Amino acid sequence: MKKLYGAVFIALVAVLLPAALADIKVKTRNTMAGHTSESTVYIKGPRQRSEQSYGPGMSVTTVLQCDQKRQIQINNACKVYLVTPFTEEDEAVEEAAAEPAPPAAKPAAKKGAKTEPASRGGIVTYVNTVTDTGERQQMFGFSARHIKSSMRAEPSPDACLKEKFSMETDGWYANVSYGLSCQTAAQRASARTAAPQKPECQDKIRFRRSGAGQLGYPLKETRTMTAGGQTFTTTTETLELSRSTLEPALFDLPAGYREVTSFQQLMCAPDMGAMMAQATKGDVSEEDMAAAVAAAGASQSTAGKSSGKLRIGVVRIENKAKSSANLQQARELLMNEIRDYDADAVPLDATKPDDIQMEARSKDCDFVLYTDLTRMKAAGKVGGFLGRATGLGTGKYEAQVDYRLFPTGEDTPRLESSASTKEGTMEMEVLGAVFKTEAREAVTEARKGR
């Protein structure tokens, strides 16, 4: 009889285990500051892959590797990635409520001894409260828990981060994959990564947790964030949840990509003009220069164009507005808009007119497009922690670009025009709007003259 029970148990495991370990694909709808997008999250055992949009033309793919205790953030546009290992504090279940003890005074330096410059900074404590309402609901075949949570950042008086931040979350969570158990550690690691850290001023990050609620995977979630006196809400809602077999490579380090060491490097590619200027002075090594060139051109295709297809060479955008916008990301966004009109778009990195024409001919371009960013203004933008965490502002941006389209080899423009908008809450959002107009007019005019 025991053998029979044993055989039945083994048979049940054989039937149930594939379903329990099946990979999961989740399609979600995200709404942020009036901008709605859809994305897909992939889960394979203790690993998860998702994509976070920071506005048109900018997104970061995040891979959680709970088994390796780390988070990988990937910028596909620049082919770079950032690895953030989880610390013991990231993985701590709860921290004592008492404030950390002040650092011990350093002994006085001996007379004549060399002293290092003092590093300023304080302590930023993230206080997280998780409350289980006790409500349960069946969602996509899982028993979902209704959890309310809050998180607030409390900087000490001497902290570099002066801005207080709070977030209230109301959501439904389920154990979609029992191996995926590091969401809290990943959230804490992200907070450390996004925090501003400069050599002369560095804060220590602390976490404190209360409440016995268990989160899990968010099947529906609403977050309300407040910083700098401004408040806005983001929502994430699961549209579809299915099981399928996923390739392990989706959840690993991307082949051929370059590793960076900060979130700023992850989001902002190097300024090639500045790199070239430094290189002539010997301030940049050959290795760094090669890495910068690889990063700048990694996402651009300059392969031979299809027969009869219009090809436009896009010159580097001139920043006459003295904006802090990432112009490499902006140019990629403009080229994507051109491609949406069934035309080829390739980057032209030369800076002198004769060199630009030479590069355009070498890349088989029919036309050359020059773009000047002449205005970029913001009113009421939220900066600090909230701006870094979301890439958004709650005010309005306005932008204007002036552009000129030349047939390759000619010095008389076929098109001279401008585009502007005052509708948008993100730099890339308003640039996307003006680039859409620029791309449409440029492609339309170019096809007239062919």
Side-chain angles (χ1 to χ4, degrees):
M1 183 62 69
K2 288 183 178 179
K3 290 183 178 180
L4 178 59
Y5 285 142
V8 172
F9 175 76
I10 292 173
L12 285 173
V13 170
V15 171
L16 296 176
L17 192 57
L21 299 182
D23 303 337
I24 296 172
K25 180 179 178 181
V26 184
K27 185 177 180 181
T28 63
R29 179 169 56 220
N30 311 293
T31 303
M32 184 180 297
H35 176 72
T36 300
S37 62
E38 293 186 1
S39 61
T40 304
V41 177
Y42 303 92
I43 302 173
K44 189 178 186 70
R47 298 189 175 189
Q48 173 182 290
R49 178 187 177 95
S50 59
E51 186 170 282
Q52 172 66 52
S53 174
Y54 289 84
M58 286 201 309
S59 63
V60 171
T61 298
T62 300
V63 175
L64 298 186
Q65 295 182 335
C66 296
D67 54 328
Q68 296 293 322
K69 296 184 177 181
R70 66 182 184 179
Q71 172 181 274
I72 303 170
Q73 293 169 288
I74 305 166
N75 187 330
N76 291 307
C78 302
K79 290 197 172 183
V80 296
Y81 66 89
L82 172 67
V83 177
T84 306
F86 299 153
T87 66
E88 290 184 3
E89 192 166 24
D90 291 336
E91 298 181 288
V93 175
E94 189 169 350
E95 190 175 278
E99 291 295 328
K106 295 182 179 179
K110 294 181 179 180
K111 187 176 182 180
K114 293 184 178 180
T115 59
E116 295 293 330
S119 176
R120 296 183 295 110
I123 297 174
V124 178
T125 303
Y126 290 91
V127 182
N128 192 26
T129 302
V130 182
T131 303
D132 191 334
T133 67
E135 296 178 79
R136 298 294 183 265
Q137 180 179 337
Q138 286 295 312
M139 301 177 69
F140 301 97
F142 295 92
S143 177
R145 302 177 293 276
H146 186 192
I147 306 291
K148 293 185 178 182
S149 61
S150 65
M151 183 178 72
R152 67 180 187 273
E154 297 181 346
S156 62
D158 56 345
C160 311
L161 179 68
K162 301 300 183 184
E163 181 180 5
K164 290 188 176 182
F165 162 82
S166 65
M167 178 171 66
E168 302 290 331
T169 305
D170 188 329
W172 291 85
Y173 305 83
N175 294 329
V176 172
S177 172
Y178 286 94
L180 194 66
S181 57
C182 61
Q183 292 99 324
T184 299
Q187 185 183 53
R188 293 176 174 182
S190 295
R192 289 191 293 106
T193 302
Q197 297 291 349
K198 298 180 180 180
E200 70 277 10
C201 191
Q202 298 188 19
D203 293 329
K204 293 182 179 179
I205 306 298
R206 297 287 183 264
F207 298 97
R208 192 164 71 240
R209 184 183 189 277
S210 64
Q214 179 188 3
L215 291 176
Y217 184 83
L219 295 176
K220 187 175 182 180
E221 191 176 61
T222 299
R223 292 183 173 184
T224 302
M225 290 170 272
T226 302
Q230 301 286 343
T231 300
F232 74 96
T233 299
T234 68
T235 62
T236 301
E237 182 179 4
T238 299
L239 301 178
E240 299 176 13
L241 191 152
S242 59
R243 300 183 183 276
S244 60
T245 302
L246 302 172
E247 292 295 328
L250 287 172
F251 306 89
D252 216 332
L253 290 172
Y257 282 39
R258 178 174 59 91
E259 184 174 7
V260 296
T261 58
S262 70
F263 187 77
Q264 181 179 6
Q265 293 174 350
L266 178 74
M267 296 303 295
C268 303
D271 185 328
M272 291 302 298
M275 292 287 286
M276 290 294 289
Q278 288 180 309
T280 59
K281 298 178 182 179
D283 295 336
V284 179
S285 68
E286 291 183 7
E287 292 80 8
D288 288 343
M289 193 63 200
V293 171
S299 64
Q300 311 293 350
S301 171
T302 57
K305 66 177 181 179
S306 303
S307 177
K309 193 168 188 178
L310 174 67
R311 172 168 284 193
I312 297 176
V314 181
V315 179
R316 291 169 57 187
I317 296 173
E318 186 76 18
N319 189 358
K320 293 186 176 181
K322 301 187 184 303
S323 167
S324 61
N326 185 331
L327 296 185
Q328 178 165 319
Q329 293 275 7
R331 182 168 66 163
E332 178 65 29
L333 181 57
L334 172 58
M335 291 192 294
N336 285 336
E337 293 291 348
I338 293 173
R339 292 165 187 148
D340 283 345
Y341 289 96
D342 195 30
D344 279 346
V346 297
L348 301 179
D349 293 316
T351 55
K352 297 180 179 180
D354 290 345
D355 294 339
I356 290 173
Q357 289 293 336
M358 185 180 300
E359 185 180 0
R361 285 191 291 269
S362 71
K363 293 182 176 178
D364 202 16
C365 296
D366 301 298
F367 288 84
V368 177
L369 181 62
Y370 289 81
T371 305
D372 297 335
L373 177 58
T374 54
R375 186 168 76 247
M376 175 65 77
K377 296 175 62 177
K381 180 190 175 187
V382 172
F385 180 90
L386 191 55
R388 285 185 301 275
T390 64
L392 296 172
T394 57
K396 288 289 186 182
Y397 276 91
E398 59 179 73
Q400 177 175 317
V401 293
D402 299 338
Y403 44 91
R404 305 172 307 284
L405 181 72
F406 292 82
T408 300
E410 298 183 17
D411 55 8
T412 301
R414 184 71 58 80
L415 170 70
E416 283 187 275
S417 188
S418 64
S420 63
T421 183
K422 296 182 179 180
E423 296 298 325
T425 56
M426 298 174 284
E427 288 181 333
M428 286 299 166
E429 183 179 6
V430 294
L431 286 176
V434 294
F435 287 156
K436 187 178 292 293
T437 299
E438 177 181 356
R440 183 182 66 251
E441 292 188 356
V443 173
T444 300
E445 187 62 36
R447 286 186 171 139
K448 289 180 181 179
R450 297 189 73 201

